[in-house]
């Protein structure tokens, strides 16, 4: 058992775990992750756009996104949906390409959505990165992306409240 402990510790060090609470029901958070009309509004780090967003949201289906930086640099990511349990869990492969189309990062992303008193407890687990530096790069990107998602969900909540009046 002690022989696997260092390997487990190393894998944990090259994994990314982020948790957030969104002040909206989980069905809305889940939908924001599954529909291009939502994804294009919030996906990517600060000031990035998503000019290309293709999804086939089903187990075995693929997605492909192009995140464009404010400087006009394109960052491509694609993968396959491996598990979908609506509205509780999404699991997908994550492949990042460089400018020549070579994959420089290949990981697995697991999202969980748990509702508690009308809010959504959300967890993102991405593993296993080649190295800690790649994990750290993704930590910053995902943190900004999830902050954008929170702002987007808040705007949807305000629209819903206004429509209900």
């Amino acid at each position: 058992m002690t022989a696997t402990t260092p390997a487990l510790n190393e894998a944990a060090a090259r994994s990314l775990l982020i948790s957030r609470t969104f002040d909206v029901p989980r069905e809305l958070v889940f939908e924001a992750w599954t529909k291009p009309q939502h994804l294009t509004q919030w996906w990517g780090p600060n000031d990035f756009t998503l000019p290309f967003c293709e999804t086939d949201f089903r187990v075995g289906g693929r997605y492909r996104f192009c995140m464009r930086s404010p400087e006009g640099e394109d960052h491509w990511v694609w993968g396959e949906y491996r598990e979908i349990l609506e509205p509780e869990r999404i699991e997908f492969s994550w492949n990042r390409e460089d400018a020549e189309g070579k994959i420089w990062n290949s990981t697995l992303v697991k999202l969980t959505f748990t509702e508690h008193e009308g809010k959504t407890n959300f967890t993102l687990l991405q593993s296993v990165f080649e190295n800690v530096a790649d994990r750290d790069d993704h930590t910053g990107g995902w943190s900004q992306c999830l902050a954008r998602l929170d702002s987007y969900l808040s705007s949807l909540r305000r629209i819903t409240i206004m429509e209900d009046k």
Side-chain angles (χ1 to χ4, degrees), residues 70-83:
E71 299 77 29
E73 184 178 342
D74 289 342
H75 301 265
W76 288 90
V77 61
W78 57 271
E80 180 179 303
Y81 295 105
R82 299 206 174 162
E83 181 180 10

Side-chain angles (χ1 to χ4, degrees), residues 21 31 51 65 85 98 102 112 125 130 143 150:
T21 299
E31 184 176 312
F65 302 154
L85 182 58
D98 63 16
K102 180 182 175 217
T112 58
L125 173 63
E130 287 290 319
S143 294
D150 191 34

Side-chain angles (χ1 to χ4, degrees), residues 4 6 25 42 47 56 79 81 85 91 118 159:
T4 60
W42 63 268
D47 301 320
D56 179 12
Y81 295 105
L85 182 58
E91 183 177 310
I159 290 169

